[in-house]
Every structure is written in C-alpha cells, then in structure tokens.
Amino acid sequence: MDRETEDVLGVVGPRLRALRRARGITLADLAVTTGVSESTLSRLESGQRRATLELLLPLARTYDVPLDDLVGAPRTGDPRIHLKPIRRFGMVFVPLSRRPGGMQAFKMIIPAQQRPLEPTPQTHEGFEWLYVLNGHLRLVLGERDLTVPPGEAAEFDTSLPHWLGSADGGVVELLILFGLQGERAHVRAGPASSTR
C-alpha cells in the first residue's frame, strides 16, 4: 500500500468518531442503523480495524455524506478551466475549446493603439464567425472596410483577404468560432418561422 493511501486510511478512525459524536449518536445506535457490530465500529474508530468499503458504505449512507468525505480523500479532477492565452500578431487569443479538429472557439483581445494600424489582410482555409463583446472592431474583408459595434456579429470565408483591428484605437474584445473545414455557426434569435 502506498504512503498516500496509508495516510488517508490512518485518519479515517478519528474522523468517524468525531462525526458520530457531532451527530450525538452512540455506538449502539449506529450498530443498529448500519448493521455493523458495535465492537467492529469501536475498533474502526480507534484505528484497530482497517476501513473497508463494506464498512464505510453503510456509514456514509447513515451520515448522508459522500464516501470521499468520510475518508478525507484528496479531491481529483479540478473542474476549473485554466486558459492559457496565446499572443499572435500583437493580439491575445484565449482558447475556449480544446477539441482537435472541427469548430474552435476563442476569445480575442485587440489591445488599444495610439495610432491606427495599417491593415495587412491575410487568407487561410476555413470559415469564421465573430461576435463583438466590447469596443468597435474594424473588419477589412476583401474590398469592404466595416465597423462592427458591440453586440453585432459577422461571418466570412477566410479564403477572402481579411484583417481585424480596432476601429477607434480602443480595446476590442470578441468571441470567434473558427472551422478549418468551413463549418458555419448558425445563430437563432427566436423561434423559427413557419411557412405555409
């Protein structure tokens, strides 16, 4: 048995005793409720009996606590997402998805500029959908030069020459969905209209 497991099991007895006393339950009452003999429960609490799943499951049910809480097991699988920003072309891209291939999601931040940047349109394979969260986006798409305010979206084939920047020199924050294979985002603001 490894050291970590021994450490976890070593504190089970005192934890069980403290829990029982905090609930005001006697060993005799606990034995009746769990079906585990009073002597076994006493030895378990004093550390003379090793905790097993057969002993801990009825205790967890009686105390109405997760098994992990009974044994003080270390938490696993941190549910938080630790996003690692990527800096490219003077902008910050925060990946919001981790799925290889298919649709990719990013938050993009275009920093404030003292002077407007000269557009340098690029092309690549794929299809892009973007939504402006804050600031005013300058979108150069082929021969068109557009300003996209907060709350508006745009979508385009990235094989067209395109460039993204700030329209007024301020910070711009946007969400981007990008599909290398030309997948398109479909946004529905309300129920689909019926045709007759």
Side-chain angles (χ1 to χ4, degrees):
M1 186 178 301
D2 69 347
R3 183 75 181 150
E4 185 179 0
T5 304
E6 284 184 24
D7 290 345
V8 168
L9 291 176
V11 297
V12 171
R15 180 176 277 109
L16 291 173
R17 179 179 290 126
L19 185 57
R20 179 179 58 78
R21 288 181 176 167
R23 303 272 176 111
I25 302 171
T26 66
L27 278 173
D29 291 338
L30 190 57
V32 170
T33 307
T34 62
V36 177
S37 74
E38 191 174 337
S39 64
T40 299
L41 291 170
S42 177
R43 289 195 329 260
L44 185 60
E45 285 185 1
S46 66
Q48 296 172 357
R49 173 83 189 253
R50 184 168 298 273
T52 64
L53 196 55
E54 291 80 17
L55 294 173
L56 293 175
L57 283 173
L59 290 169
R61 271 190 234 102
T62 299
Y63 293 135
D64 194 28
V65 296
L67 193 57
D68 285 354
D69 289 354
L70 272 189
V71 298
R75 298 283 181 218
T76 58
D78 186 349
R80 296 173 296 170
I81 298 172
H82 301 281
L83 305 172
K84 292 187 173 50
I86 301 164
R87 296 182 190 284
R88 283 195 191 135
F89 315 112
M91 296 176 267
V92 178
F93 297 83
V94 182
L96 301 175
S97 61
R98 299 178 193 218
R99 194 178 98 202
M103 195 68 90
Q104 300 293 318
F106 298 90
K107 178 176 182 184
M108 180 176 163
I109 303 166
I110 301 171
Q113 300 289 329
Q114 289 184 2
R115 299 178 285 168
L117 295 176
E118 187 62 36
T120 53
Q122 305 290 320
T123 63
H124 52 86
E125 186 181 344
F127 202 87
E128 195 164 295
W129 178 91
L130 58 84
Y131 177 84
V132 179
L133 297 167
N134 291 304
H136 288 81
L137 175 70
R138 181 179 179 194
L139 171 61
V140 175
L141 185 59
E143 299 296 318
R144 301 180 75 186
D145 195 334
L146 307 165
T147 297
V148 186
E152 286 194 10
E155 64 179 352
F156 54 92
D157 185 331
T158 55
S159 65
L160 288 171
H162 61 281
W163 179 84
L164 306 175
S166 175
D168 56 11
V171 174
V172 182
E173 295 179 57
L174 54 149
L175 293 177
I176 293 179
L177 296 178
F178 173 75
L180 190 58
Q181 303 302 320
E183 298 94 338
R184 297 180 76 158
H186 298 281
V187 180
R188 302 214 192 307
S193 61
S194 61
T195 57
R196 294 186 183 211

